[in-house]
């Protein structure tokens, strides 16, 4: 394919000994045809150059003033990295093109100047775009815009940042109808949906779907450790010697870990064993900006031998000469795994090298399923999502900050944003009314009246302070807060909406992530530190607990992974379990474990669900194996225990992992099922997602905490004020009071609707659970046993373990697993 490239650009390619790749020229051809383009390409394929080639060519042929191309990325670091990599060819070719970045770290004077005299190419984030569009001079700034480049679109289109971005793109298409969009994405399951996503703002304009050829097949292996693979938990400390040896044998290694706490722990142990003094660094989102930038600079310079990191390095920053990627813990998703593997080599023609390090025996199965996914080239990325009403409310207010809005015109524009393409006029009217007055239940309060109607029927901001507050609080990222855990006397806690706890305050035991408490109801017991405590309630930013006589927690504290197990890999694990002929691929210790399960009990069927019931210790257990991820299992456990209480089985607690769910009770599960007093088909019926779910949501704090996030995003509650920022406690007090008012007086308020949507889609994973219940309907296989089964050993190891860290925890879990396995084999 030959296209008219400027001679200086052709000479630059020739001088480097390069030639444009086919997909890069196809993006250029789309631009020449006045079309948008969605480029799907693997890491290392030169996506960024493809995105900017039409811009460089157009400005080389016809230099101009003003903003020509807007580049939008999910990461500030990515924008900075792209700017650095873009300035080099511009300088070498000698093109008169200005390039600047705009992030929250950009000095205020430069941000002001960029609005008056923008560069030819501006690289920024979705939040900064929303901010720019809220100013009265947005039309002038973006009037010259010809191209938009969206990088890593797959990381944006599936969340609220993508919803805000889609609304911003619809606005840009109104301000600059001549603009065309080029989007760049890693390989995804449904590329056609991403193409539709970028086509929506520009109806009638062609949007081409371009798919680059795949590179060399990656070289992936599962770590073969001399030590025994742990039965349960999420620690890979057993593999530290092998990991250190891998670092020593490679130039630069990226070690991806699924949570920050696990990253810290692994880094500490690698550093403790760093006898060669290798340059090993840590990179995650809780570190200071300065520390992260220092690590990133050292990566670019090639001075680091290894970086232990979380998803902060998932996206397409060019980190230099990485020649090995290690996935510590199971990958949880095939698409995410392929994206991470692509960090190695960052070159299309050479195979990326990767190593999987499972942290427990079920994860060995998941890693094997992931290898099979690579062989098939399978994808399990999430699809773009429909838009939330809280994000829409923020955008409506931002539009009014720029200029008075005409409702019909704004409604038509919003429907050109793909996530809001099915928005009904009635919903839009309610959102507009909420932004203007707070809605029916809040309209008596002047502070929520943010818009005023003009004589011409338009809506303007009520005063300049409203616009100032909007700009201070723009965006959809709400950080997960920590809460203090305070000990009180049992029964010494009562609360109302505003009265708070009544009773003697005790000492603070420590802090935990707030999301854990949102799933608890009064009386639930859990492990904190070295003791079992009972949940009394929550007020503001404190969770109140009391000592309990129980020696076993109902809900063990869970230090799990950040990502749920994908549906595709879950299916792969079920298939592997049902195919003994493939077990030779597994380590001997894992293959022997599965053969023992086959001999003592049954193997989980690929198209149904195995439920085992057996006595153990003083209690009776029911263990099921849905393989649907921890979030869905956690919700299932909450709902099943409610049903079992009504059935008088007297459940005491449950524990959920990514693979299984165990419930223990005083009642004899096997006898109850055998007698017909307990029906598994009825117990696991999909109707649990009706009244049982509603009742649990009413009792738990989950709805309140989810509402708080929606209220912040919608602009109802403001985190920041000029010169100060609200504390988490102040925000929680405000949101709890408003939630109680709305829930009582306007239960269908748009923010209550947004809250239910987020709860179902997020922490509860209701859609996944519903799919699971439909899949297993009339396909539940029950196996009563007289003792624990081998497959149940890992999930029972998780029950009641004191969260000791380091070698002591590994040893304690190994001892517990050995005892349980001996019981399963009948040798105990």
């Amino acid at each position: 394919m030959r296209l008219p490239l400027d001679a200086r650009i052709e000479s630059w390619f020739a001088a480097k000994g390069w030639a444009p790749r086919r997909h890069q020229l196809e993006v250029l051809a789309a631009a020449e045809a006045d079309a948008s383009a969605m480029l799907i390409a693997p890491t290392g394929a030169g996506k960024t150059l493809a995105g900017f080639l039409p811009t460089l060519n157009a400005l080389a042929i016809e230099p101009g003033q003003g903003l020509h191309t807007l580049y939008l990325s999910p990461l500030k670091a990515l924008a900075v990295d792209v700017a650095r990599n873009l300035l080099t060819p511009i300088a070498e070719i000698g093109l008169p093109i200005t390039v600047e970045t705009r992030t929250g770290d950009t000095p205020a004077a430069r941000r002001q100047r960029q609005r008056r005299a923008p560069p030819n190419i501006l690289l920024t984030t979705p939040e900064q775009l929303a901010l720019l569009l809220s100013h009265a001079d947005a039309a002038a700034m973006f009037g010259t815009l010809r191209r938009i480049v969206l990088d890593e679109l797959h990381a944006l289109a599936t969340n609220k940042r993508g919803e805000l971005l889609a609304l911003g793109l619809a606005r840009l298409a109104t301000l600059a109808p001549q603009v065309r969009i080029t989007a760049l994405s890693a390989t995804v399951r449904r590329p056609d949906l991403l193409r539709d996503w970028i086509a929506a703002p520009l109806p009638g304009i062609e949007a081409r779907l371009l798919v680059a050829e795949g590179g060399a097949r990656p070289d992936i292996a599962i770590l073969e450790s001399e030590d025994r693979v742990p039965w349960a938990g999420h620690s890979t400390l057993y593999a530290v010697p092998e990991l250190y040896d891998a670092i020593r044998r490679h130039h630069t290694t990226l070690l991806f870990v699924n949570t920050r706490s696990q990253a810290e722990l692994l880094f500490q142990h690698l550093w403790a064993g760093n006898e060669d003094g290798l340059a090993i660094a840590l990179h995650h989102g809780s570190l200071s900006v300065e520390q992260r930038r220092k690590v990133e600079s050292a990566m670019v310079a090639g001075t680091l031998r290894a970086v232990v990191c979380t998803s902060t390095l998932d996206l397409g920053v060019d980190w230099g000469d990485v020649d090995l990627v290690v996935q510590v813990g199971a990958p949880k998703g095939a698409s995410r795994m392929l994206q991470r593997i692509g960090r190695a080599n960052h070159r299309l023609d050479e195979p990326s090298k990767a190593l999987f390090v499972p942290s427990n025996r079920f994860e060995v199965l998941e890693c094997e399923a992931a290898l099979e996914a690579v062989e098939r080239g399978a994808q399990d990325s999430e699809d773009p999502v429909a838009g939330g009403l809280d994000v829409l409310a923020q955008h409506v207010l931002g539009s009014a900050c720029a200029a008075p809005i005409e409702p019909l015109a704004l409604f038509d524009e919003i429907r050109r944003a793909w996530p809001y393409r099915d928005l009904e006029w009635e919903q839009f009217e309610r959102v507009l009314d909420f932004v203007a007055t707070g809605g029916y239940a809040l309209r008596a309060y002047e502070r929520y009246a943010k818009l005023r109607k003009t004589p011409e029927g338009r809506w303007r901001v009520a005063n300049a302070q409203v616009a100032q507050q909007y700009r201070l609080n723009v965006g959809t990222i709400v950080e997960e807060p920590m809460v203090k855990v305070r000990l009180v006397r049992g029964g010494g806690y009562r609360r109302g909406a505003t009265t708070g706890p009544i009773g003697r305050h005790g000492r603070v035991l420590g802090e935990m992530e707030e999301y854990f408490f949102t799933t608890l109801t009064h009386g639930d017991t859990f492990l904190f530190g070295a003791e079992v405590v009972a949940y009394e309630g929550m007020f503001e930013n404190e969770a109140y607990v009391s000592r309990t006589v129980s020696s076993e927690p109902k809900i063990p504290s869970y230090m799990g992974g950040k990502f749920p197990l994908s549906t595709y890999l879950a299916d792969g694990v079920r298939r592997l379990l049902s195919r003994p002929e493939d077990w030779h691929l597994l380590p001997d210790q894992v293959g022997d474990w599965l053969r023992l399960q086959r001999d003592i009990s049954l193997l989980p069927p690929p198209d149904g669900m195995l439920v085992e019931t057996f006595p153990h210790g003083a209690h009776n257990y029911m263990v099921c194996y849905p393989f649907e991820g921890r979030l869905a299992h956690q919700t299932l456990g909450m709902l099943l225990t409610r049903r079992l209480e009504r059935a008088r089985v007297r459940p005491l607690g449950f524990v959920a992992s990514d693979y299984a769910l165990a419930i223990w009770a005083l009642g004899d599960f096997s006898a109850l099922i055998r007698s017909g007093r307990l029906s598994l088909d009825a117990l696991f019926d999909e109707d649990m997602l009706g009244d049982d779910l509603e009742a649990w949501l009413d009792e738990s704090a989950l709805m309140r905490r989810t509402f708080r996030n929606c209220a912040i995003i919608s602009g109802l509650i403001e985190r920041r004020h000029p010169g100060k920022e609200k504390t988490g406690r102040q925000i929680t007090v405000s949101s709890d009071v408003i939630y109680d008012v709305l829930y009582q007086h306007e239960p269908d308020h748009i923010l209550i609707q947004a809250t239910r949507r987020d709860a179902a889609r997020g922490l509860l994973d209701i859609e996944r659970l519903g799919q699971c219940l439909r899949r297993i309907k009339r396909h539940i296989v029950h196996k009563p046993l007289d003792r624990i089964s081998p497959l149940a050993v890992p999930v029972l190891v998780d029950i009641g373990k004191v969260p000791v860290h380091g070698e002591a925890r590994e040893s304690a879990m190994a001892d517990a697993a050995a005892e349980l396995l001996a019981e399963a084999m009948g040798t105990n």
Side-chain angles (χ1 to χ4, degrees):
M1 178 182 290
R2 288 290 301 164
L3 286 166
L5 265 180
D6 183 81
R8 288 169 291 177
I9 298 177
E10 284 197 331
S11 298
W12 177 77
F13 271 108
K16 296 284 186 181
W18 300 341
R21 295 184 183 274
R22 180 178 181 82
H23 59 271
Q24 293 169 338
L25 292 175
E26 286 176 337
V27 172
L28 183 60
E32 293 289 325
D34 199 31
S36 293
M38 177 71 246
L39 174 61
I40 307 292
T43 302
K47 289 195 296 287
T48 306
L49 179 57
F52 281 106
L53 193 56
T55 297
L56 299 182
N57 197 49
L59 290 174
I61 295 170
E62 190 177 343
Q65 297 296 316
L67 183 61
H68 180 279
T69 295
L70 180 69
Y71 168 91
L72 293 157
S73 136
L75 288 183
K76 290 190 291 186
L78 192 52
V80 172
D81 180 74
V82 168
R84 183 181 63 242
N85 291 335
L86 193 57
L87 285 169
T88 300
I90 287 174
E92 290 176 350
I93 298 170
L95 299 175
I97 298 174
T98 54
V99 180
E100 292 183 12
T101 61
R102 182 188 177 96
T103 70
D105 302 328
T106 304
R110 188 187 304 168
R111 292 204 301 268
Q112 288 283 348
R113 195 256 307 146
Q114 285 172 342
R115 284 169 46 207
R116 294 192 309 271
N120 298 135
I121 302 175
L122 181 64
L123 303 99
T124 189
T125 61
E127 291 75 21
Q128 287 295 316
L129 173 61
L131 197 58
L132 288 168
L133 288 172
S134 74
H135 288 281
D137 55 11
M141 178 180 179
F142 292 109
T144 60
L145 188 66
R146 300 303 303 266
R147 300 192 67 245
I148 298 170
V149 178
L150 306 177
D151 205 354
E152 306 287 358
L153 182 59
H154 62 281
L156 284 170
T158 58
N159 55 46
K160 291 193 178 188
R161 294 184 78 198
E163 295 166 23
L164 187 63
L165 173 61
L167 292 165
L169 294 177
R171 184 74 187 134
L172 286 175
T174 298
L175 298 177
Q178 74 280 0
V179 76
R180 299 294 177 262
I181 300 171
T182 297
L184 315 173
S185 172
T187 310
V188 292
R189 187 173 67 90
R190 290 287 307 277
D192 56 311
L193 289 182
L194 290 188
R195 188 259 315 277
D196 295 346
W197 200 93
I198 69 162
L202 296 164
I205 301 299
E206 181 188 7
R208 299 182 180 180
L209 178 59
L210 309 175
V211 181
E213 295 178 1
R217 186 182 296 275
D219 175 11
I220 309 174
I222 299 176
L223 178 75
E224 295 184 10
S225 175
E226 294 181 5
D227 207 340
R228 291 187 67 82
V229 179
W231 287 91
H234 290 266
S235 168
T236 50
L237 299 185
Y238 77 95
V240 166
E242 287 92 347
L243 288 175
Y244 183 76
D245 186 56
I247 292 169
R248 194 161 44 189
R249 288 185 284 105
H250 292 84
H251 184 271
T252 306
T253 301
L254 282 184
L255 297 100
F256 280 106
V257 186
N258 287 335
T259 68
R260 294 172 183 177
S261 59
Q262 292 162 19
E264 292 273 3
L265 192 62
L266 179 60
F267 174 75
Q268 289 168 10
H269 280 78
L270 284 172
W271 192 255
N274 189 4
E275 58 191 31
D276 299 304
L278 303 179
I280 302 174
L282 178 67
H283 191 289
H284 63 65
S286 293
L287 300 175
S288 68
V289 173
E290 294 75 19
Q291 192 168 347
R292 293 202 306 270
R293 296 294 175 266
K294 190 181 294 184
V295 172
E296 291 160 12
S297 298
M299 283 287 289
V300 172
T303 58
L304 291 178
R305 293 294 299 275
V307 179
V308 179
C309 55
T310 58
S311 56
T312 51
L313 294 187
D314 265 358
L315 301 177
V317 180
D318 189 352
W319 295 122
D321 200 13
V322 175
D323 56 348
L324 176 66
V325 166
V326 178
Q327 171 61 49
V328 180
K332 302 303 170 191
S335 295
R336 181 185 303 110
M337 171 199 63
L338 288 169
Q339 176 79 357
R340 288 180 168 180
I341 291 171
R343 300 293 108 222
N345 284 328
H346 222 275
R347 290 183 288 272
L348 190 63
D349 302 326
E350 299 177 20
S352 299
K353 188 175 181 182
L355 183 66
F356 289 166
V357 184
S359 57
N360 59 58
R361 297 194 174 203
F362 270 120
E363 285 196 353
V364 173
L365 304 179
E366 185 183 333
C367 288
E368 194 61 50
L371 284 181
E372 186 177 325
V374 173
E375 291 290 325
R376 296 184 177 195
Q379 296 292 333
D380 56 7
S381 57
E382 295 179 61
D383 294 337
V385 293
L389 299 181
D390 52 342
V391 178
L392 181 58
Q394 182 182 134
H395 177 73
V396 168
L397 181 57
S399 300
C401 290
I405 55 178
E406 199 284 303
L408 277 172
L410 183 60
F411 174 68
D412 289 341
E413 179 183 291
I414 287 168
R415 282 172 55 95
R416 291 197 292 273
W418 190 90
Y420 297 92
R421 65 199 183 283
D422 296 323
L423 180 71
E424 299 289 341
W425 172 255
E426 181 187 3
Q427 276 187 308
F428 173 74
E429 277 191 310
R430 294 193 63 189
V431 171
L432 182 59
D433 180 58
F434 161 70
V435 176
T437 68
Y440 167 75
L442 301 175
R443 69 175 66 248
Y445 301 92
E446 183 66 23
R447 59 179 296 190
Y448 300 120
K450 297 185 177 181
L451 301 182
R452 293 281 186 269
K453 201 166 189 178
T454 69
E456 298 79 27
R458 295 173 180 262
W459 291 90
R460 63 169 178 82
V461 289
N463 52 63
Q465 186 182 2
V466 170
Q468 183 183 32
Q469 288 295 105
Y470 169 83
R471 293 174 187 133
L472 282 172
N473 291 277
V474 71
T476 62
I477 299 173
V478 181
E479 293 188 3
E480 178 67 43
M482 304 289 287
V483 300
K484 288 187 175 69
V485 181
R486 188 180 291 277
L487 187 68
V488 297
R489 287 180 177 175
Y493 171 88
R494 303 198 311 277
R495 75 169 294 270
T498 57
T499 56
I502 302 170
R504 182 179 172 186
H505 288 220
R507 62 189 174 90
V508 173
L509 301 180
E511 289 189 326
M512 280 185 78
E513 289 90 347
E514 187 186 62
Y515 83 87
F516 176 75
F517 294 100
T518 63
T519 60
L520 302 186
T521 55
H522 181 268
D524 286 347
T525 55
F526 66 96
L527 196 68
F528 190 81
E531 58 185 320
V532 178
V533 294
Y535 177 65
E536 295 288 340
M538 198 165 175
F539 183 69
E540 298 180 0
N541 278 37
E542 290 192 348
Y544 293 86
V545 302
S546 61
R547 288 198 171 90
T548 176
V549 295
S550 172
S551 61
E552 292 187 2
K554 176 182 177 184
I555 303 165
S557 306
Y558 183 81
M559 292 177 61
K562 178 180 177 183
F563 304 107
L565 177 68
S566 77
T567 303
Y568 184 88
L569 289 189
D571 290 342
V573 171
R574 282 193 292 266
R575 280 196 305 271
L576 183 57
L577 281 168
S578 66
R579 293 197 313 236
E581 64 271 18
D582 290 340
W583 293 352
H584 68 278
L585 300 170
L586 304 171
D588 289 343
Q589 53 186 304
V590 177
D592 291 343
W593 169 51
L594 297 184
R595 279 183 277 274
L596 200 57
Q597 169 70 16
R598 181 181 58 187
D599 295 342
I600 291 174
S601 178
L602 295 171
L603 294 168
D607 55 353
M609 183 177 72
L610 172 65
V611 175
E612 297 174 326
T613 55
F614 51 82
H616 172 65
H619 303 138
N620 294 288
Y621 286 78
M622 178 175 74
V623 181
C624 58
Y625 304 90
F627 298 98
E628 294 294 350
R630 180 175 57 86
L631 294 179
H633 293 174
Q634 189 91 355
T635 302
L636 180 61
M638 292 287 185
L639 298 178
L640 285 178
T641 51
R642 295 182 74 91
R643 292 191 155 193
L644 291 169
E645 283 169 3
R646 289 202 302 272
R648 300 189 178 182
V649 183
R650 293 171 292 168
L652 298 171
F654 73 90
V655 64
S657 72
D658 264 333
Y659 315 98
L661 169 69
I663 299 175
W664 57 101
L666 294 177
D668 186 336
F669 285 108
S670 298
L672 289 168
I673 295 170
R674 185 167 55 248
S675 68
R677 290 172 55 198
L678 182 65
S679 163
L680 289 180
D681 284 332
L683 183 64
F684 286 91
D685 193 277
E686 193 181 357
D687 63 7
M688 75 168 67
L689 300 181
D691 292 343
D692 281 327
L693 178 62
E694 288 298 316
W696 174 48
L697 287 176
D698 287 344
E699 294 176 18
S700 76
L702 185 140
M703 285 290 283
R704 291 175 180 274
R705 296 303 169 251
T706 307
F707 174 82
R708 181 189 58 198
N709 291 350
C710 292
I712 289 171
I713 290 169
S714 71
L716 183 68
I717 294 175
E718 293 152 343
R719 290 166 289 184
R720 302 179 190 92
H721 292 261
K724 61 180 180 178
E725 185 163 345
K726 277 189 179 181
T727 64
R729 175 176 175 150
Q730 290 170 322
I731 291 172
T732 301
V733 171
S734 300
S735 69
D736 280 2
V737 171
I738 295 171
Y739 176 81
D740 288 339
V741 170
L742 295 182
Y743 194 77
Q744 182 177 354
H745 298 289
E746 196 179 354
D748 66 337
H749 190 278
I750 67 158
L751 288 192
I752 300 291
Q753 292 181 40
T755 299
R756 288 185 174 278
R757 166 190 182 256
D758 284 5
R761 209 172 74 179
L763 291 174
L764 300 181
D765 213 352
I766 296 298
E767 183 179 357
R768 180 86 175 265
L769 178 55
Q771 292 170 351
C772 168
L773 295 175
R774 288 189 291 274
R775 175 178 62 82
I776 65 174
K777 192 170 186 176
R778 293 189 292 276
H779 291 88
I780 298 174
V781 179
H782 175 226
K783 179 65 176 177
L785 299 166
D786 59 4
R787 58 185 185 272
I788 186 175
S789 75
L791 210 60
V793 168
V795 70
L796 262 66
V797 167
D798 276 333
I799 295 175
K801 287 294 155 211
V802 176
V804 180
H805 296 291
E807 294 178 8
R809 175 175 171 81
E810 301 293 306
S811 176
M813 294 181 77
D815 290 345
E819 290 179 18
L820 290 170
L821 189 62
E823 179 184 332
M825 297 175 68
T827 59
N828 194 359

